Every structure is written in C-alpha cells, then in structure tokens.
Amino acid sequence: MAVSSSSFLPRVFIAHSSFECRSDPDFSGAPTGDKPRLRSNRRVTPSLFCTGGGGLSSLILRFPPNFVRQLSVKARRNCSNIGVAQVVAASWSNGSSSGYPSSASAAASRAAAAAAAASRPVSGAVAIVEGCIDNDSVQIEDPYDAKTSFLSSDGSITVHAGERLGRGIVTDAITTPVVNTSAYFFKKTQELIDFKEKRHTSFEYGRYGNPTTVVAEEKISALEGAESTLILASGMCASTVMLMALVPAGGHIVTTTDCYRKTRIFIETILPKMGISATVIDPGDVDGLESALNKNKVSLFFTESPTNPFLRCVDIEKVSKLCHSKGTLVCIDGTFATPLNQKALSLGADLVLHSATKFIGGHNDVLAGCISGSEKLVTEIRILHHILGGTLNPNAAYLIIRGMKTLHLRVQQQNSTASRMAEVLEAHPRVKHVYYPGLPSHPEHELAKRQMTGFGGVVSFEVDGDLMTTIKFVDALKIPYIAPSFGGCESIVDQPSIMSYWDLSQAERRKYGIEDNLVRFSFGVEDFEDLKADVLQALESIVFPSFV
C-alpha cells in the first residue's frame, strides 16, 4: 500500500468508560484453556492515557494488544483505507522488518518500542493477552468441515453456514462484510511464493476469489452437502462454463427436451462449433438415455429437474447409476427445486447447478449462478472460470448471503401456496391443464414424492382459450408482475409464447410444446388468500372463445 510522504500523527482516543476489545470469534470447540485469555487488572480511564510520560507511544501501548493485532492483520485486509492505523499497527505486528517508507519511520519506531514494552510484565494499567499467536496472514479459515453437523435443519444451515460456523473474515459483525477490492497484496515476495506453492493462504486477484464470495460458496456447499461450490455471475454463466469445462472437443452430451431456452440455444448453436454433439430425450425416457450411452461416448448427462416450464422430473438416482456405469457424469440443474426441496448430490448426481438469481437470492435483485459437487470436478470448472472471467461482484455475493438466510421460510410459504393454487387451478373450468409435480395428474408425481420434500413455488397451466384470451387473463391479475424469472418474494407471471418464444412462429413454438395459452406463475410470499382471490377474479374476467 502506498503511503503519503507527509507525516501522520495518531488521533487521540479518549475512553469515557471501560475499554475492552473483544477477541476473535472462536467456534472451534477448543477447551477454554487453549484459547487466548483477556484480563485487565483495572479499568482503563482517560487519566491512564496521560500518565507515564510516554507521549503518543504510551498512548498506543494503552490499547490492548488484541486490538492492535486485529488492526494489523485483519483490518488491513478487509478495509479499503485505514490510513495511519495500518502503518502504525502493522509495525507493531511485524517488528522492525516491516520495511515501510522512511516518511512513516517515526510512527513505526514508536510502535516497535511499544511492542517491545508489551512483551514485558505490565503492572496495573494495561490489559494483557496471554497465549495470543499472530498468524500474520489473511484470515481465511479452513474450508467447511462439518461444523454444521449438530444442526438438524436446513433452515439453521442457511442462516449460519459459512458465517457464525466458520467465517474466514475475522469480525464481530453479525453480517458478512463486503470486501470491495480488485486485488490483494503480499508483504514480501517470499509470502507470494509461499502462496503460489500453497504454504500460505490468501487471495491474489479479484477474478480468482473474494472473501465475501467464499462465504456464499460455503453456505451453498453446506446446504447441498457438497465438497465445493463455485459461484458465478449468472445461471447461464454457470451452465456454459460447466459444459465447456467438462465436455471435450468432439465429445457428446445427452440433455432433455424441456429446458430453459437459452440453454437449448447454447447446446444447439455454440457447442457444435467445438465439435460437441448432443442427443435430446424426453425427461422420463430412461431407455432413450441408455440407447444414447451405448451408441456414443457420452461425457455428460445434463438436465433440469424439475424442468422449465413443464416441471417434468428426472429419476436422478436411476439415471446416475446408469450414467456412471458408462463413465458418464451427471449434472442436475435444480433451480426450480431449490436445495431445500431436493438434494441431487445425495441422489447420486455428480454436480448440481442453480440459477441463484431465483429462489436462492429470492428478492429479484441479484444475478448469480452456482455449481456444487466434488472438489475435483468443481476445480476443473473453476480453472476455466478464472480464464473466462464471469466473476460475481462481492456486493452481489452479499445479496446472495442475505437472501439465503430466509430461504427456508420463503420456500415453505411458496411450496404451500403453489400446491394449494395448483389444486384450485386444476378444478377451475376455465383452466385446461395444470403442470405441477405435487398433483397426482403429473406424469412424475410418484417420482417427485420420492426424491423431493417439497414441489416448489412455480405452477404452469394452460388457460382454456387462445393467445388473446390468455393475454386478457394475465392483464387482469393485480398482484403478480408480468416479468421473466421466478423464485422471488414477489409473485411473477409470464406467458412463455410471448416472453421467451415470441421470435418464433406458432408452429415453431409448438415443436417445444409451447402453446399460446400457456402461463407460468411463480408464487411469491404474499398471503395465499390474496393470491387465490386475484387469480380467480382474473379467470372470471376472461371470455371463452365460444361465447364471442
């Protein structure tokens, strides 16, 4: 960090009451005797700062060493500008070898003298830390290591994983700080070499990692039961990077007919340029999958479950066993399910992918995507990600962390509302068909009951009418927004034939099963009775074509 040539003087700190600096949070469960202990023989008062004839150096000495340690080691990594405090406190931590410019030498020498004094017994005035070891490195703890094993609920995990139970950023703040930096510095070249050879833990460049982003990744890993998670700038970014990283040039993949349209476009138009071909099967066609595996050297089976927009479900356990017998990887896009309603990794999938923009973020205010799985596979994807650069901004990572704390509450409400509304819609005379895994009429209802604990907050249905009739229904709704996306607190409705497929002719849309009367309704966290009343009044407002 560059230091101005002008001399700095520390600002005088006046304590009006007892002053005690909290030690770093420790949730390791180590015996109390193994931890640093803070004791004070008497209260620190303003008079103490003015005694002893030590001037400013005595003033610095009066701060508990733990306070200075936090400034020198943690704060300079996590704050954008701490000015002279960094220079003075770093000298305390690093001793005479700090190597700071001569313009700060006076402050540095005072700090060094104070450090030497602190190592001697001090009577009366100063709080002492016993057994305190300064790691002198960026404070990143070991990766998630079953610290949440005592928690029985996904709801508790979404609140605490990656933070209270093992946050790398050392802070007493309840919320995770946003570390807005594009690069990280090394105090000496040897420290950089140690980092490169994995003897020193730190970050290097913003595209390769960020402390705030790591918290979001560890929280998702804990929820999915994954060894590692990579979070990226969007769900599509996650899908495309994953496909390019795991499927070699000239390779082959298997995917399903019902899926997000942009994913289909990438598979149909971009992958062939790399020599990668694809077999497309019905989500429930296990025989078709087996045939494709026998005919081709398939690198990856990639599908959504439930799918978009018809919410079809894939037998994850069965297809995983089948694919693994042929050496094929399985990646499940579980965006519609959420990690709460479905655990794809525990069912046998190698990777699970989410558009975190949807339920995980949950507030319609952030774009993000994530991939979870084994350390080996996620590392392969991460290497390509670092090259392509679809990096999530740390402010967006904070929004993901914030959103996940209420994920279980939101999903509970959305599951309940969607299930009840699906039954209401199926019974209504002006609704032609309803697509929802929680209904017995759904083709994979029994499968969904086996591998899901909830059926999600999205319901697709066909209004009994044409394009204009359906438009009239959508426009008559008062609560939901007409918008793309889903999974947020606010209800959202869209007509896929217009929102996502308007550039295709009606005949081309029908190839994908998209009829003009199809509606996709994402239920938010509004009251069920309000939503029910709104949907029913909108249905009553439409006129059957036969009555015109």
Side-chain angles (χ1 to χ4, degrees):
M1 175 178 173
V3 180
S4 172
S5 60
S6 61
S7 298
F8 292 102
L9 290 177
R11 183 175 297 175
V12 176
F13 178 85
I14 304 298
H16 296 286
S17 61
S18 62
F19 178 83
E20 180 180 287
C21 190
R22 293 178 60 189
S23 59
D24 299 338
D26 187 347
F27 305 101
S28 62
T32 304
D34 297 335
K35 301 176 185 177
R37 299 189 301 277
L38 181 67
R39 74 167 186 260
S40 178
N41 295 328
R42 78 175 188 228
R43 295 178 61 185
V44 180
T45 63
S47 62
L48 292 176
F49 292 131
C50 304
T51 59
L56 288 175
S57 62
S58 295
L59 171 62
I60 296 174
L61 179 60
R62 294 304 184 258
F63 286 96
N66 188 49
F67 170 78
V68 178
R69 179 170 66 88
Q70 289 187 7
L71 272 182
S72 63
V73 182
K74 287 92 176 178
R76 63 180 171 179
R77 287 286 186 179
N78 298 333
C79 298
S80 59
N81 181 18
I82 58 171
V84 67
Q86 183 174 8
V87 178
V88 177
S91 180
W92 182 303
S93 173
N94 299 332
S96 60
S97 63
S98 63
Y100 283 105
S102 58
S103 60
S105 59
S109 61
R110 285 195 296 269
S119 64
R120 298 191 298 269
V122 180
S123 61
V126 183
I128 303 171
V129 176
E130 297 179 351
C132 179
I133 299 175
D134 192 345
N135 188 28
D136 199 26
S137 66
V138 62
Q139 298 301 301
I140 308 169
E141 297 181 354
D142 293 334
Y144 174 75
D145 56 357
K147 292 176 182 176
T148 60
S149 59
F150 66 93
L151 296 177
S152 60
S153 165
D154 280 344
S156 299
I157 290 174
T158 59
V159 174
H160 292 301
E163 297 185 276
R164 182 175 178 84
L165 304 176
R167 174 163 53 197
I169 307 172
V170 177
T171 173
D172 287 340
I174 292 175
T175 56
T176 293
V178 180
V179 181
N180 279 316
T181 186
S182 59
Y184 307 84
F185 72 89
F186 297 87
K187 292 184 290 296
K188 298 287 184 179
T189 301
Q190 185 57 51
E191 185 176 87
L192 172 59
I193 294 171
D194 290 342
F195 168 74
K196 293 292 186 180
E197 297 184 354
K198 303 187 184 306
R199 294 188 298 270
H200 173 72
T201 304
S202 184
F203 295 92
E204 179 182 356
Y205 186 55
R207 196 169 76 245
Y208 307 148
N210 177 280
T212 309
T213 302
V214 167
V215 171
E217 290 176 338
E218 291 186 355
K219 191 178 287 288
I220 295 168
S221 288
L223 198 57
E224 289 285 10
E227 290 180 359
S228 182
T229 291
L230 171 64
I231 195 162
L232 305 93
S234 70
M236 269 308 298
C237 183
S239 297
T240 56
V241 174
M242 182 275 299
L243 287 166
M244 289 190 289
L246 299 183
V247 184
H252 193 86
I253 69 169
V254 178
T255 189
T256 52
T257 51
D258 192 31
C259 67
Y260 178 52
R261 189 185 175 200
K262 292 300 189 294
T263 305
R264 180 186 293 115
I265 290 173
F266 183 79
I267 291 172
E268 291 177 346
T269 64
I270 306 300
L271 289 185
K273 295 178 182 179
M274 306 174 192
I276 298 172
S277 55
T279 297
V280 183
I281 62 173
D282 183 86
D285 188 5
V286 179
D287 292 337
L289 172 60
E290 186 172 14
S291 175
L293 292 171
N294 290 332
K295 292 178 181 178
N296 306 278
K297 184 174 176 55
V298 180
S299 302
L300 177 72
F301 174 54
F302 176 48
T303 184
E304 302 165 5
S305 187
T307 60
N308 182 15
F310 295 109
L311 305 168
R312 298 287 303 280
C313 297
V314 174
D315 191 329
I316 299 172
E317 185 173 12
K318 181 180 286 187
V319 300
S320 296
K321 289 179 180 177
L322 180 58
C323 288
H324 293 161
S325 70
K326 301 292 185 178
T328 300
L329 296 173
V330 175
C331 179
I332 300 296
D333 183 333
T335 301
F336 275 85
T338 79
L340 296 180
N341 288 331
Q342 179 177 276
K343 306 287 188 186
L345 298 179
S346 68
L347 292 168
D350 300 288
L351 295 165
V352 59
L353 182 148
H354 294 275
S355 171
T357 306
K358 312 303 192 294
F359 288 99
I360 289 178
H363 290 77
N364 292 316
D365 60 2
V366 63
L367 293 174
C370 60
I371 306 168
S372 302
S374 69
E375 185 72 40
K376 178 179 181 297
L377 287 177
V378 173
T379 297
E380 287 186 48
I381 302 167
R382 195 184 298 273
I383 290 170
L384 180 59
H385 164 62
H386 288 171
I387 296 170
L388 297 179
T391 308
L392 187 71
N393 185 281
N395 295 280
Y398 174 84
L399 291 176
I400 295 297
I401 295 166
R402 185 280 318 269
M404 287 190 69
K405 292 178 187 292
T406 59
L407 178 61
H408 62 297
L409 301 175
R410 292 184 282 104
V411 169
Q412 277 182 347
Q413 176 75 3
Q414 289 163 313
N415 283 347
S416 173
T417 298
S419 293
R420 296 166 71 184
M421 282 305 307
E423 294 175 354
V424 170
L425 288 165
E426 191 171 52
H428 200 282
R430 297 188 180 181
V431 174
K432 188 175 179 180
H433 192 85
V434 179
Y435 304 92
Y436 187 69
L439 292 176
S441 58
H442 190 278
E444 285 90 33
H445 175 62
E446 292 301 320
L447 169 63
K449 287 199 300 183
R450 291 201 307 270
Q451 69 182 23
M452 300 179 73
T453 55
F455 302 115
V458 178
V459 179
S460 294
F461 55 95
E462 293 173 351
V463 173
D464 191 0
D466 58 8
L467 180 71
M468 295 309 298
T469 304
T470 309
I471 288 174
K472 186 173 182 180
F473 162 73
V474 170
D475 288 349
L477 291 164
K478 298 176 181 177
I479 293 177
Y481 291 92
I482 302 173
S485 197
F486 57 89
C489 292
E490 299 87 358
S491 290
I492 284 178
V493 65
D494 79 80
Q495 204 170 337
S497 61
I498 299 176
M499 184 67 71
S500 303
Y501 291 85
W502 190 244
D503 58 313
L504 301 182
S505 67
Q506 186 182 62
E508 289 173 320
R509 294 196 292 266
R510 282 178 172 167
K511 290 180 182 178
Y512 302 112
I514 306 299
E515 297 289 348
D516 291 343
N517 62 347
L518 179 66
V519 174
R520 191 184 71 179
F521 202 123
S522 171
F523 291 98
V525 298
E526 301 96 344
D527 182 77
F528 167 75
E529 293 298 335
D530 288 338
L531 286 166
K532 177 183 175 182
D534 190 30
V535 171
L536 291 178
Q537 68 81 22
L539 286 170
E540 293 300 324
S541 73
I542 65 177
V543 179
F544 283 104
S546 58
F547 295 163
V548 178

